[in-house]
Every structure is written in C-alpha cells, then in structure tokens.
Amino acid sequence: MARHGKQYGFGLLPGLITLVLYAAALVALALWGTDFVAWATPFADDWSSPWAGLFRGFLTAVLFALGLLLSVLTFTAVTLLIGQPFYESLSEKVDRDVSPDGTAPESDLPLWRELWISARDSLRILARALVWGVLLFALGFVPVVGQTVVPVIGFFVTGFFLTEELTAVALQRRGVEVRERLVLLRSRKTLVWGFGTPLAVAFLVPFVAVFLMPGAVAGATLMARDLLGEETTGNGPEEEPETPQAPQAPPAPPAQPHAPRPPGTEGVTP
C-alpha cells in the first residue's frame, strides 16, 4: 500500500464511515444503556437498596462490554460491505501487480449481486462469530481461566473470522463459496492466525483499524493467492538486465619451444 498512495486514500473512506457509525452507536449505548436496563428489568424495582442498583449497574456494564465485543467482531464485515467497490478495486490492483501475466480474476456478476452475496456471507460468518463470542463471554466469568486463557482464545477466534472476512474480497471474485473458504482457512490455521490475530489485537483501537484496513485487504489478497496455490511474483524492485558483453577473441596458442640449433650456428640470424 505504501507504493500506491491513491489506492490507500480511497481505501480509508469506508473505514472512516463505519467508525463514525459505530462511535455514535457506542455513545448512545453509554448514555441510554442504564435506562434500557431499567426498562428491561422491572422485577428489580421493588428490591431493597443497594441490590437493585448493583444488579442493574452490572447488567449495564455487561451490555456495554457485549456491544464493544460485537463492534470489534462486526467492524470488518460492515466496513467491507460499505466499501465493497473500493476494496474490490484495491484487491484487483494487488492481483495485477503480483500476477506473472499482469491479469486479475474478475467477477461477471453485477454490483448489486456482489453486494447481496457479500452481505449474506457476512451474516453467516457473523452468526458463527456470535456463538463463539457469547461462549467466550460466559467463560470469562470463570475464575483465573476466564482472565488468562479465555482472552487469548478470544483473540485467536477473532483473528480467524477477521481473516475470513478479509480474504472473502479476493476469493469471492474467484467464485469460492463461504464453505469452501472456511475449508481453505482451516487447512492453514497457522498462517491464518499469524495474519489475523495481530490484526484482531490492533483492531481493538478503532482508529488503528481504519488506517490498517487497506493494507489488510491487500495482505488478504496475497493470502488468497497462496491458499489457492496461484503463482505470485516478487514485489521488490526489478533487476536490471545484464548488458551483453562483446565476444572475446580466443586466447593465442602457447608459443612452441625453439628446436636446438646445430653446433657452430650460434649468433646466425635465420
């Protein structure tokens, strides 16, 4: 992305739009979360103090934490959905740059059809991610394990689904369905975790996620090519062709030793 500044600038727009939407939703949750919890728990109105306040305060904190977790899990999917045309163009550019013949796979589907497939697949992945999210959130209350092991597992799970969402941009153009994508990713879990887990950690900071999204899409495109076994050329500077050298004359044969002269002919020039 550092070599394609214009593409990087276009790739920032979807992330900025998504960031504004999510920030507004989290602010609204922080401002009116207490009222929502009070409305949802009318049975606690008759509880004696301070139990009602503690109970509702705990539920408000849980609600905000769950909203924050969902925002992390869904930020990439929503950003990719909003920025489908931007990231599609970016992914094709990366394919052309690293392809030996300079071409990129293209989808023959209209834009509305691609958006529909992307939204449908994102919902399927989101459903799986929500199951994992709720399970890990519940395990977080287990003493010791919930504060040590569970967060680590959560980052790996988030990294896996994050990689699936990012590689979907390139794999969808190649006609790879969501189930086939999951099979490909599960076959290379070490590669997937090595790519997605650091991104999941970085994406906890929304501003960082915005600026990393274009590079993440570019890296996921390279990963998609690797998963499918497609040949990829190097991205370094091109080597200068060697200048052909003029052919050299063959070396002269070694001088033959002179035959010995007969006696008495020394000093006579032949």
Side-chain angles (χ1 to χ4, degrees):
M1 292 312 306
R3 297 188 295 116
H4 300 89
K6 185 180 295 186
Q7 294 286 338
Y8 179 75
F10 283 125
L12 291 178
L13 294 178
L16 291 173
I17 296 173
T18 308
L19 177 63
V20 172
L21 296 176
Y22 273 66
L26 290 176
V27 168
L29 187 61
L31 293 177
W32 293 290
T34 304
D35 297 336
F36 175 77
V37 170
W39 170 82
T41 57
F43 54 86
D45 292 339
D46 299 331
W47 290 10
S48 60
S49 180
W51 301 113
L54 291 175
F55 176 70
R56 286 173 172 170
F58 172 75
L59 290 182
T60 302
V62 169
L63 180 64
F64 186 81
L66 186 58
L68 189 61
L69 176 63
L70 291 179
S71 67
V72 173
L73 292 175
T74 61
F75 182 87
T76 302
V78 175
T79 303
L80 291 175
L81 183 61
I82 294 176
Q84 177 74 16
F86 298 92
Y87 296 136
E88 193 78 22
S89 175
L90 173 60
S91 180
E92 289 184 8
K93 175 66 175 176
V94 174
D95 268 325
R96 292 192 183 95
D97 286 346
V98 301
S99 177
D101 55 2
T103 61
E106 296 181 0
S107 175
D108 298 330
L109 300 176
L111 178 60
W112 69 268
R113 179 65 176 172
E114 292 183 357
L115 291 175
W116 163 251
I117 295 176
S118 178
R120 181 197 64 188
D121 292 347
S122 296
L123 288 176
R124 292 177 179 176
I125 297 300
L126 179 59
R128 290 181 170 90
L130 285 177
V131 173
W132 277 96
V134 172
L135 177 61
L136 293 174
F137 185 79
L139 292 176
F141 293 98
V142 178
V144 182
V145 176
Q147 292 75 45
T148 55
V149 179
V150 173
V152 175
I153 296 176
F155 282 124
F156 277 93
V157 172
T158 304
F160 181 89
F161 288 114
L162 182 62
T163 304
E164 196 286 330
E165 289 287 350
L166 291 169
T167 53
V169 178
L171 293 176
Q172 184 177 316
R173 281 192 292 110
R174 292 164 167 82
V176 182
E177 296 292 337
V178 61
R179 292 185 179 179
E180 299 176 29
R181 296 201 298 263
L182 291 173
V183 171
L184 283 174
L185 295 175
R186 287 166 183 162
S187 66
R188 303 284 297 278
K189 289 181 181 179
T190 305
L191 176 66
V192 171
W193 287 331
F195 177 80
T197 303
L199 278 178
V201 176
F203 276 23
L204 289 176
V205 184
F207 287 104
V208 174
V210 171
F211 291 102
L212 287 183
M213 274 300 294
V217 173
T221 302
L222 297 177
M223 178 182 290
R225 298 182 64 90
D226 187 19
L227 291 172
L228 296 175
E230 298 179 0
E231 185 179 357
T232 300
T233 61
N235 293 335
E238 296 181 358
E239 298 182 357
E240 296 183 359
E242 297 182 359
T243 304
Q245 299 180 357
Q248 298 180 355
Q256 298 293 332
H258 294 289
R261 296 184 178 188
T265 60
E266 291 82 356
V268 179
T269 303

